[in-house]
Amino acid sequence: MSGYRATLRNQVYHFDSLRELLAKASPFRSGDALAGIAAEDEKQRVAAQIALADVPLRAFLDDCLVPYEDDEVTRWIINSHDAEAFAPVAHLTVGEFRDWLLRHETTTEVLSGLADGMTPEMVAAVSKLMRNQDLVLVASRCRVVTKFRNTLGLKGRLAIRLQPNHPTDDPVGIVASIVDGLMYGCGDAVIGINPATESLESLLKLTNILAELIQQYQIPTQACVLAHVTTQLEAINAGAPVDLVFQSIAGTEAANASFGVTFDLLDQAHQAAQQMGRGSIGQNVMYFETGQGSCLSANAHHDCDQQTLEARAYAVARRYEPLLVNSVVGFIGPEYLYDGKQITRAGLEDHFCGKLLGVPMGCDVCYTNHAEADQDDMDTLLTLLGAAGCNYFMGVPGADDIMLNYQTTSFHDSQYLRQLFDLRPAPEFEEWLIRSEIIDQANRLAPPVERHRLFESMKKLTLSAPD
């Protein structure tokens, strides 16, 4: 009989395919239940995990969950696999690989050398056998460093995306939020605006505002307006000062098509952004966002579980050596991640899988207002990911994004994590913060009176911002 089997308390469980085995072994989440592929009960889930532990890692190179001939993401995963990097673990099963990852000898240097030998399906599989603490411990050893105008991902550092969204793209409101965030030491990952209006005119206006602010105050950071990649390409062709090109991506060709993107389009955008040459110390020019459930919501999941497909999105990202990648973990809603427990587990999985694949992972620790979650759940996930060495988080005024209408992390949260784990901003950005008297040499926020001069200077920008 083909397939996979496990015996649990004298009951034999059979799984017809590797695709089914992964789905049944996955910790419960509402999206897999919605798709009809989740384990029937905890006994079946445990049996699937027992069977999965005995699967050789090599099996994932021979059994494509999404058919090779039908999917460009699968073809990229298989064709770009580095057999030499894979060699140290090629003889292991999934269960043995988990044990290998948890060994003291599996250091940051070892994991860095392994990344190109891993496929998304391998790292998704091993994550299903790991407790939350395992995901935190292994990810904490992974370092993925990227550069544009500053250096992100270094040990002992934590960056923040300053997210100054506004429901009408009002420049005065946006600049006010930027000034507020900078006063808390946020913005080293990127100053990134989700535009309320998907238009070239709006993109050009916002891009110019960000470029002028960064130039006027010589801030060693990068800017991004998170419009669709086609609109960003139009802006580049129009001569706009585009730093990073953004796009939401997913783990199957069909799901990416639902976003209006293909590898050919992303290749064009990557090349165009690099030709702009706006990075001062590096040319990692792409910014990607992902999220569990995106393939299912597009009916493009091929009966695969949402966590495995999310890991495949990181293979798409890896193709372009991006500056930033983050899972918008709770944004897609309770249909896919029902409550705080599921969001927490998914966030840890996403960060772990991305880092093992060599992707510079951050996380938007967030939830929608109709999810069974609250800010205490987000504090828990934020703290766990801080311990896991997450590259960056979001910084939003009051943790409430008034344009996207969801709850995330605030400017204040950056201070909590940096104090708790003794983390500093990106080194170049830290030097600017010290020169600007926003923080002192000990990484403490300066008293308000000492930040007042820069604040007053920047506040004038809200009065001169274009209509």
Side-chain angles (χ1 to χ4, degrees), residues 165-167 169 174 192-199 202-203 206 224-228 403-404:
N165 297 342
H166 193 280
D169 288 338
I174 286 171
I193 303 171
N194 296 89
T197 304
E198 179 68 46
S199 70
S202 176
L203 175 58
L206 296 175
C224 185
V225 180
L226 284 69
H228 191 269
M403 192 280 282
L404 292 173

mmCIF file with all atom_site columns, all heavy atoms in Angstrom, residues 165-167 169 174 192-199 202-203 206 224-228 403-404:
data_model
loop_
_atom_site.group_PDB
_atom_site.id
_atom_site.type_symbol
_atom_site.label_atom_id
_atom_site.label_alt_id
_atom_site.label_comp_id
_atom_site.label_asym_id
_atom_site.label_entity_id
_atom_site.label_seq_id
_atom_site.pdbx_PDB_ins_code
_atom_site.Cartn_x
_atom_site.Cartn_y
_atom_site.Cartn_z
_atom_site.occupancy
_atom_site.B_iso_or_equiv
_atom_site.pdbx_formal_charge
_atom_site.auth_seq_id
_atom_site.auth_comp_id
_atom_site.auth_asym_id
_atom_site.auth_atom_id
_atom_site.pdbx_PDB_model_num
ATOM 1   N N   . ASN A 1 165 ? 0.384  55.534 7.947  1.00 0.00 ? 165 ASN A N   1
ATOM 2   C CA  . ASN A 1 165 ? -0.755 55.510 7.023  1.00 0.00 ? 165 ASN A CA  1
ATOM 3   C C   . ASN A 1 165 ? -1.816 56.543 7.411  1.00 0.00 ? 165 ASN A C   1
ATOM 4   O O   . ASN A 1 165 ? -1.984 56.880 8.578  1.00 0.00 ? 165 ASN A O   1
ATOM 5   C CB  . ASN A 1 165 ? -1.393 54.119 6.997  1.00 0.00 ? 165 ASN A CB  1
ATOM 6   C CG  . ASN A 1 165 ? -0.446 53.062 6.476  1.00 0.00 ? 165 ASN A CG  1
ATOM 7   O OD1 . ASN A 1 165 ? 0.555  53.365 5.832  1.00 0.00 ? 165 ASN A OD1 1
ATOM 8   N ND2 . ASN A 1 165 ? -0.749 51.799 6.759  1.00 0.00 ? 165 ASN A ND2 1
ATOM 9   N N   . HIS A 1 166 ? -2.553 56.992 6.380  1.00 0.00 ? 166 HIS A N   1
ATOM 10  C CA  . HIS A 1 166 ? -3.627 57.964 6.602  1.00 0.00 ? 166 HIS A CA  1
ATOM 11  C C   . HIS A 1 166 ? -4.793 57.621 5.683  1.00 0.00 ? 166 HIS A C   1
ATOM 12  O O   . HIS A 1 166 ? -4.573 57.266 4.518  1.00 0.00 ? 166 HIS A O   1
ATOM 13  C CB  . HIS A 1 166 ? -3.129 59.389 6.317  1.00 0.00 ? 166 HIS A CB  1
ATOM 14  C CG  . HIS A 1 166 ? -4.058 60.452 6.809  1.00 0.00 ? 166 HIS A CG  1
ATOM 15  N ND1 . HIS A 1 166 ? -5.188 60.823 6.111  1.00 0.00 ? 166 HIS A ND1 1
ATOM 16  C CD2 . HIS A 1 166 ? -4.040 61.209 7.950  1.00 0.00 ? 166 HIS A CD2 1
ATOM 17  C CE1 . HIS A 1 166 ? -5.823 61.767 6.787  1.00 0.00 ? 166 HIS A CE1 1
ATOM 18  N NE2 . HIS A 1 166 ? -5.143 62.023 7.904  1.00 0.00 ? 166 HIS A NE2 1
ATOM 19  N N   . PRO A 1 167 ? -6.039 57.693 6.171  1.00 0.00 ? 167 PRO A N   1
ATOM 20  C CA  . PRO A 1 167 ? -7.183 57.242 5.370  1.00 0.00 ? 167 PRO A CA  1
ATOM 21  C C   . PRO A 1 167 ? -7.448 58.058 4.108  1.00 0.00 ? 167 PRO A C   1
ATOM 22  O O   . PRO A 1 167 ? -8.155 57.593 3.210  1.00 0.00 ? 167 PRO A O   1
ATOM 23  C CB  . PRO A 1 167 ? -8.365 57.333 6.341  1.00 0.00 ? 167 PRO A CB  1
ATOM 24  C CG  . PRO A 1 167 ? -7.925 58.248 7.427  1.00 0.00 ? 167 PRO A CG  1
ATOM 25  C CD  . PRO A 1 167 ? -6.444 58.064 7.539  1.00 0.00 ? 167 PRO A CD  1
ATOM 26  N N   . ASP A 1 169 ? -4.642 59.790 2.594  1.00 0.00 ? 169 ASP A N   1
ATOM 27  C CA  . ASP A 1 169 ? -3.295 60.127 2.112  1.00 0.00 ? 169 ASP A CA  1
ATOM 28  C C   . ASP A 1 169 ? -2.958 61.591 2.342  1.00 0.00 ? 169 ASP A C   1
ATOM 29  O O   . ASP A 1 169 ? -2.229 62.216 1.561  1.00 0.00 ? 169 ASP A O   1
ATOM 30  C CB  . ASP A 1 169 ? -3.135 59.788 0.611  1.00 0.00 ? 169 ASP A CB  1
ATOM 31  C CG  . ASP A 1 169 ? -3.061 58.294 0.349  1.00 0.00 ? 169 ASP A CG  1
ATOM 32  O OD1 . ASP A 1 169 ? -2.721 57.552 1.289  1.00 0.00 ? 169 ASP A OD1 1
ATOM 33  O OD2 . ASP A 1 169 ? -3.344 57.876 -0.791 1.00 0.00 ? 169 ASP A OD2 1
ATOM 34  N N   . ILE A 1 174 ? 0.327  62.381 7.467  1.00 0.00 ? 174 ILE A N   1
ATOM 35  C CA  . ILE A 1 174 ? 1.417  61.422 7.271  1.00 0.00 ? 174 ILE A CA  1
ATOM 36  C C   . ILE A 1 174 ? 2.711  61.952 7.867  1.00 0.00 ? 174 ILE A C   1
ATOM 37  O O   . ILE A 1 174 ? 3.415  61.240 8.604  1.00 0.00 ? 174 ILE A O   1
ATOM 38  C CB  . ILE A 1 174 ? 1.576  61.116 5.766  1.00 0.00 ? 174 ILE A CB  1
ATOM 39  C CG1 . ILE A 1 174 ? 0.421  60.219 5.286  1.00 0.00 ? 174 ILE A CG1 1
ATOM 40  C CG2 . ILE A 1 174 ? 2.923  60.454 5.478  1.00 0.00 ? 174 ILE A CG2 1
ATOM 41  C CD1 . ILE A 1 174 ? 0.356  60.041 3.791  1.00 0.00 ? 174 ILE A CD1 1
ATOM 42  N N   . GLY A 1 192 ? 7.460  53.353 5.587  1.00 0.00 ? 192 GLY A N   1
ATOM 43  C CA  . GLY A 1 192 ? 6.639  52.712 4.561  1.00 0.00 ? 192 GLY A CA  1
ATOM 44  C C   . GLY A 1 192 ? 5.180  53.079 4.681  1.00 0.00 ? 192 GLY A C   1
ATOM 45  O O   . GLY A 1 192 ? 4.549  52.849 5.716  1.00 0.00 ? 192 GLY A O   1
ATOM 46  N N   . ILE A 1 193 ? 4.627  53.650 3.605  1.00 0.00 ? 193 ILE A N   1
ATOM 47  C CA  . ILE A 1 193 ? 3.235  54.099 3.591  1.00 0.00 ? 193 ILE A CA  1
ATOM 48  C C   . ILE A 1 193 ? 2.400  53.159 2.734  1.00 0.00 ? 193 ILE A C   1
ATOM 49  O O   . ILE A 1 193 ? 2.730  52.909 1.561  1.00 0.00 ? 193 ILE A O   1
ATOM 50  C CB  . ILE A 1 193 ? 3.116  55.525 3.016  1.00 0.00 ? 193 ILE A CB  1
ATOM 51  C CG1 . ILE A 1 193 ? 3.982  56.513 3.803  1.00 0.00 ? 193 ILE A CG1 1
ATOM 52  C CG2 . ILE A 1 193 ? 1.657  55.988 3.002  1.00 0.00 ? 193 ILE A CG2 1
ATOM 53  C CD1 . ILE A 1 193 ? 4.065  57.883 3.154  1.00 0.00 ? 193 ILE A CD1 1
ATOM 54  N N   . ASN A 1 194 ? 1.296  52.654 3.301  1.00 0.00 ? 194 ASN A N   1
ATOM 55  C CA  . ASN A 1 194 ? 0.280  51.986 2.488  1.00 0.00 ? 194 ASN A CA  1
ATOM 56  C C   . ASN A 1 194 ? -0.647 53.063 1.944  1.00 0.00 ? 194 ASN A C   1
ATOM 57  O O   . ASN A 1 194 ? -1.399 53.670 2.725  1.00 0.00 ? 194 ASN A O   1
ATOM 58  C CB  . ASN A 1 194 ? -0.542 51.003 3.320  1.00 0.00 ? 194 ASN A CB  1
ATOM 59  C CG  . ASN A 1 194 ? 0.285  49.859 3.861  1.00 0.00 ? 194 ASN A CG  1
ATOM 60  O OD1 . ASN A 1 194 ? 0.841  49.956 4.945  1.00 0.00 ? 194 ASN A OD1 1
ATOM 61  N ND2 . ASN A 1 194 ? 0.370  48.790 3.108  1.00 0.00 ? 194 ASN A ND2 1
ATOM 62  N N   . PRO A 1 195 ? -0.630 53.349 0.654  1.00 0.00 ? 195 PRO A N   1
ATOM 63  C CA  . PRO A 1 195 ? -1.462 54.446 0.147  1.00 0.00 ? 195 PRO A CA  1
ATOM 64  C C   . PRO A 1 195 ? -2.942 54.072 0.166  1.00 0.00 ? 195 PRO A C   1
ATOM 65  O O   . PRO A 1 195 ? -3.314 52.935 -0.124 1.00 0.00 ? 195 PRO A O   1
ATOM 66  C CB  . PRO A 1 195 ? -0.948 54.637 -1.286 1.00 0.00 ? 195 PRO A CB  1
ATOM 67  C CG  . PRO A 1 195 ? -0.427 53.291 -1.676 1.00 0.00 ? 195 PRO A CG  1
ATOM 68  C CD  . PRO A 1 195 ? 0.153  52.695 -0.413 1.00 0.00 ? 195 PRO A CD  1
ATOM 69  N N   . ALA A 1 196 ? -3.778 55.027 0.512  1.00 0.00 ? 196 ALA A N   1
ATOM 70  C CA  . ALA A 1 196 ? -5.218 54.798 0.484  1.00 0.00 ? 196 ALA A CA  1
ATOM 71  C C   . ALA A 1 196 ? -5.736 54.777 -0.942 1.00 0.00 ? 196 ALA A C   1
ATOM 72  O O   . ALA A 1 196 ? -6.760 54.150 -1.231 1.00 0.00 ? 196 ALA A O   1
ATOM 73  C CB  . ALA A 1 196 ? -5.933 55.886 1.289  1.00 0.00 ? 196 ALA A CB  1
ATOM 74  N N   . THR A 1 197 ? -5.014 55.433 -1.835 1.00 0.00 ? 197 THR A N   1
ATOM 75  C CA  . THR A 1 197 ? -5.435 55.549 -3.232 1.00 0.00 ? 197 THR A CA  1
ATOM 76  C C   . THR A 1 197 ? -4.391 54.905 -4.131 1.00 0.00 ? 197 THR A C   1
ATOM 77  O O   . THR A 1 197 ? -3.221 55.279 -4.084 1.00 0.00 ? 197 THR A O   1
ATOM 78  C CB  . THR A 1 197 ? -5.598 57.030 -3.638 1.00 0.00 ? 197 THR A CB  1
ATOM 79  O OG1 . THR A 1 197 ? -6.511 57.660 -2.741 1.00 0.00 ? 197 THR A OG1 1
ATOM 80  C CG2 . THR A 1 197 ? -6.113 57.136 -5.065 1.00 0.00 ? 197 THR A CG2 1
ATOM 81  N N   . GLU A 1 198 ? -4.807 53.939 -4.930 1.00 0.00 ? 198 GLU A N   1
ATOM 82  C CA  . GLU A 1 198 ? -3.900 53.259 -5.863 1.00 0.00 ? 198 GLU A CA  1
ATOM 83  C C   . GLU A 1 198 ? -3.855 54.055 -7.163 1.00 0.00 ? 198 GLU A C   1
ATOM 84  O O   . GLU A 1 198 ? -4.549 53.763 -8.135 1.00 0.00 ? 198 GLU A O   1
ATOM 85  C CB  . GLU A 1 198 ? -4.375 51.829 -6.114 1.00 0.00 ? 198 GLU A CB  1
ATOM 86  C CG  . GLU A 1 198 ? -3.529 51.032 -7.091 1.00 0.00 ? 198 GLU A CG  1
ATOM 87  C CD  . GLU A 1 198 ? -2.138 50.703 -6.575 1.00 0.00 ? 198 GLU A CD  1
ATOM 88  O OE1 . GLU A 1 198 ? -2.015 50.266 -5.421 1.00 0.00 ? 198 GLU A OE1 1
ATOM 89  O OE2 . GLU A 1 198 ? -1.173 50.869 -7.342 1.00 0.00 ? 198 GLU A OE2 1
ATOM 90  N N   . SER A 1 199 ? -3.036 55.103 -7.174 1.00 0.00 ? 199 SER A N   1
ATOM 91  C CA  . SER A 1 199 ? -2.907 55.932 -8.375 1.00 0.00 ? 199 SER A CA  1
ATOM 92  C C   . SER A 1 199 ? -1.468 56.392 -8.492 1.00 0.00 ? 199 SER A C   1
ATOM 93  O O   . SER A 1 199 ? -0.762 56.553 -7.493 1.00 0.00 ? 199 SER A O   1
ATOM 94  C CB  . SER A 1 199 ? -3.835 57.149 -8.309 1.00 0.00 ? 199 SER A CB  1
ATOM 95  O OG  . SER A 1 199 ? -3.391 58.078 -7.336 1.00 0.00 ? 199 SER A OG  1
ATOM 96  N N   . SER A 1 202 ? -0.916 59.812 -6.651 1.00 0.00 ? 202 SER A N   1
ATOM 97  C CA  . SER A 1 202 ? -0.718 59.691 -5.206 1.00 0.00 ? 202 SER A CA  1
ATOM 98  C C   . SER A 1 202 ? 0.657  59.116 -4.890 1.00 0.00 ? 202 SER A C   1
ATOM 99  O O   . SER A 1 202 ? 1.343  59.594 -3.975 1.00 0.00 ? 202 SER A O   1
ATOM 100 C CB  . SER A 1 202 ? -1.812 58.802 -4.612 1.00 0.00 ? 202 SER A CB  1
ATOM 101 O OG  . SER A 1 202 ? -1.601 58.590 -3.231 1.00 0.00 ? 202 SER A OG  1
ATOM 102 N N   . LEU A 1 203 ? 1.066  58.103 -5.633 1.00 0.00 ? 203 LEU A N   1
ATOM 103 C CA  . LEU A 1 203 ? 2.371  57.477 -5.400 1.00 0.00 ? 203 LEU A CA  1
ATOM 104 C C   . LEU A 1 203 ? 3.490  58.487 -5.594 1.00 0.00 ? 203 LEU A C   1
ATOM 105 O O   . LEU A 1 203 ? 4.428  58.565 -4.785 1.00 0.00 ? 203 LEU A O   1
ATOM 106 C CB  . LEU A 1 203 ? 2.544  56.287 -6.341 1.00 0.00 ? 203 LEU A CB  1
ATOM 107 C CG  . LEU A 1 203 ? 3.905  55.584 -6.331 1.00 0.00 ? 203 LEU A CG  1
ATOM 108 C CD1 . LEU A 1 203 ? 4.244  55.080 -4.943 1.00 0.00 ? 203 LEU A CD1 1
ATOM 109 C CD2 . LEU A 1 203 ? 3.920  54.431 -7.324 1.00 0.00 ? 203 LEU A CD2 1
ATOM 110 N N   . LEU A 1 206 ? 3.535  61.040 -2.590 1.00 0.00 ? 206 LEU A N   1
ATOM 111 C CA  . LEU A 1 206 ? 4.031  60.474 -1.339 1.00 0.00 ? 206 LEU A CA  1
ATOM 112 C C   . LEU A 1 206 ? 5.515  60.120 -1.429 1.00 0.00 ? 206 LEU A C   1
ATOM 113 O O   . LEU A 1 206 ? 6.271  60.329 -0.470 1.00 0.00 ? 206 LEU A O   1
ATOM 114 C CB  . LEU A 1 206 ? 3.207  59.243 -0.960 1.00 0.00 ? 206 LEU A CB  1
ATOM 115 C CG  . LEU A 1 206 ? 1.731  59.500 -0.647 1.00 0.00 ? 206 LEU A CG  1
ATOM 116 C CD1 . LEU A 1 206 ? 1.003  58.190 -0.396 1.00 0.00 ? 206 LEU A CD1 1
ATOM 117 C CD2 . LEU A 1 206 ? 1.584  60.437 0.544  1.00 0.00 ? 206 LEU A CD2 1
ATOM 118 N N   . CYS A 1 224 ? 9.395  53.682 1.228  1.00 0.00 ? 224 CYS A N   1
ATOM 119 C CA  . CYS A 1 224 ? 8.636  52.846 0.310  1.00 0.00 ? 224 CYS A CA  1
ATOM 120 C C   . CYS A 1 224 ? 7.164  53.242 0.381  1.00 0.00 ? 224 CYS A C   1
ATOM 121 O O   . CYS A 1 224 ? 6.610  53.409 1.472  1.00 0.00 ? 224 CYS A O   1
ATOM 122 C CB  . CYS A 1 224 ? 8.794  51.368 0.669  1.00 0.00 ? 224 CYS A CB  1
ATOM 123 S SG  . CYS A 1 224 ? 7.998  50.223 -0.486 1.00 0.00 ? 224 CYS A SG  1
ATOM 124 N N   . VAL A 1 225 ? 6.550  53.394 -0.768 1.00 0.00 ? 225 VAL A N   1
ATOM 125 C CA  . VAL A 1 225 ? 5.095  53.560 -0.861 1.00 0.00 ? 225 VAL A CA  1
ATOM 126 C C   . VAL A 1 225 ? 4.551  52.253 -1.413 1.00 0.00 ? 225 VAL A C   1
ATOM 127 O O   . VAL A 1 225 ? 4.879  51.866 -2.536 1.00 0.00 ? 225 VAL A O   1
ATOM 128 C CB  . VAL A 1 225 ? 4.711  54.753 -1.743 1.00 0.00 ? 225 VAL A CB  1
ATOM 129 C CG1 . VAL A 1 225 ? 3.189  54.897 -1.812 1.00 0.00 ? 225 VAL A CG1 1
ATOM 130 C CG2 . VAL A 1 225 ? 5.338  56.035 -1.209 1.00 0.00 ? 225 VAL A CG2 1
ATOM 131 N N   . LEU A 1 226 ? 3.718  51.578 -0.630 1.00 0.00 ? 226 LEU A N   1
ATOM 132 C CA  . LEU A 1 226 ? 3.378  50.187 -0.903 1.00 0.00 ? 226 LEU A CA  1
ATOM 133 C C   . LEU A 1 226 ? 2.208  50.054 -1.887 1.00 0.00 ? 226 LEU A C   1
ATOM 134 O O   . LEU A 1 226 ? 1.188  49.408 -1.611 1.00 0.00 ? 226 LEU A O   1
ATOM 135 C CB  . LEU A 1 226 ? 3.065  49.448 0.406  1.00 0.00 ? 226 LEU A CB  1
ATOM 136 C CG  . LEU A 1 226 ? 4.273  49.068 1.277  1.00 0.00 ? 226 LEU A CG  1
ATOM 137 C CD1 . LEU A 1 226 ? 4.947  50.280 1.889  1.00 0.00 ? 226 LEU A CD1 1
ATOM 138 C CD2 . LEU A 1 226 ? 3.849  48.118 2.384  1.00 0.00 ? 226 LEU A CD2 1
ATOM 139 N N   . ALA A 1 227 ? 2.349  50.674 -3.040 1.00 0.00 ? 227 ALA A N   1
ATOM 140 C CA  . ALA A 1 227 ? 1.381  50.516 -4.123 1.00 0.00 ? 227 ALA A CA  1
ATOM 141 C C   . ALA A 1 227 ? 1.694  49.226 -4.878 1.00 0.00 ? 227 ALA A C   1
ATOM 142 O O   . ALA A 1 227 ? 2.708  48.565 -4.629 1.00 0.00 ? 227 ALA A O   1
ATOM 143 C CB  . ALA A 1 227 ? 1.439  51.713 -5.064 1.00 0.00 ? 227 ALA A CB  1
ATOM 144 N N   . HIS A 1 228 ? 0.828  48.862 -5.812 1.00 0.00 ? 228 HIS A N   1
ATOM 145 C CA  . HIS A 1 228 ? 1.077  47.665 -6.612 1.00 0.00 ? 228 HIS A CA  1
ATOM 146 C C   . HIS A 1 228 ? 2.354  47.844 -7.422 1.00 0.00 ? 228 HIS A C   1
ATOM 147 O O   . HIS A 1 228 ? 2.707  48.958 -7.834 1.00 0.00 ? 228 HIS A O   1
ATOM 148 C CB  . HIS A 1 228 ? -0.111 47.381 -7.538 1.00 0.00 ? 228 HIS A CB  1
ATOM 149 C CG  . HIS A 1 228 ? -0.049 46.043 -8.180 1.00 0.00 ? 228 HIS A CG  1
ATOM 150 N ND1 . HIS A 1 228 ? 0.545  45.831 -9.407 1.00 0.00 ? 228 HIS A ND1 1
ATOM 151 C CD2 . HIS A 1 228 ? -0.493 44.829 -7.760 1.00 0.00 ? 228 HIS A CD2 1
ATOM 152 C CE1 . HIS A 1 228 ? 0.461  44.542 -9.719 1.00 0.00 ? 228 HIS A CE1 1
ATOM 153 N NE2 . HIS A 1 228 ? -0.173 43.920 -8.743 1.00 0.00 ? 228 HIS A NE2 1
ATOM 154 N N   . MET A 1 403 ? -6.046 53.671 8.630  1.00 0.00 ? 403 MET A N   1
ATOM 155 C CA  . MET A 1 403 ? -6.345 53.506 7.216  1.00 0.00 ? 403 MET A CA  1
ATOM 156 C C   . MET A 1 403 ? -6.687 52.060 6.897  1.00 0.00 ? 403 MET A C   1
ATOM 157 O O   . MET A 1 403 ? -7.720 51.758 6.294  1.00 0.00 ? 403 MET A O   1
ATOM 158 C CB  . MET A 1 403 ? -5.161 53.978 6.363  1.00 0.00 ? 403 MET A CB  1
ATOM 159 C CG  . MET A 1 403 ? -5.500 54.122 4.867  1.00 0.00 ? 403 MET A CG  1
ATOM 160 S SD  . MET A 1 403 ? -5.497 52.591 3.925  1.00 0.00 ? 403 MET A SD  1
ATOM 161 C CE  . MET A 1 403 ? -3.750 52.348 3.699  1.00 0.00 ? 403 MET A CE  1
ATOM 162 N N   . LEU A 1 404 ? -5.858 51.114 7.339  1.00 0.00 ? 404 LEU A N   1
ATOM 163 C CA  . LEU A 1 404 ? -6.105 49.701 7.073  1.00 0.00 ? 404 LEU A CA  1
ATOM 164 C C   . LEU A 1 404 ? -7.091 49.088 8.072  1.00 0.00 ? 404 LEU A C   1
ATOM 165 O O   . LEU A 1 404 ? -7.556 47.975 7.868  1.00 0.00 ? 404 LEU A O   1
ATOM 166 C CB  . LEU A 1 404 ? -4.783 48.928 7.105  1.00 0.00 ? 404 LEU A CB  1
ATOM 167 C CG  . LEU A 1 404 ? -3.807 49.255 5.972  1.00 0.00 ? 404 LEU A CG  1
ATOM 168 C CD1 . LEU A 1 404 ? -2.472 48.556 6.203  1.00 0.00 ? 404 LEU A CD1 1
ATOM 169 C CD2 . LEU A 1 404 ? -4.375 48.858 4.624  1.00 0.00 ? 404 LEU A CD2 1
#
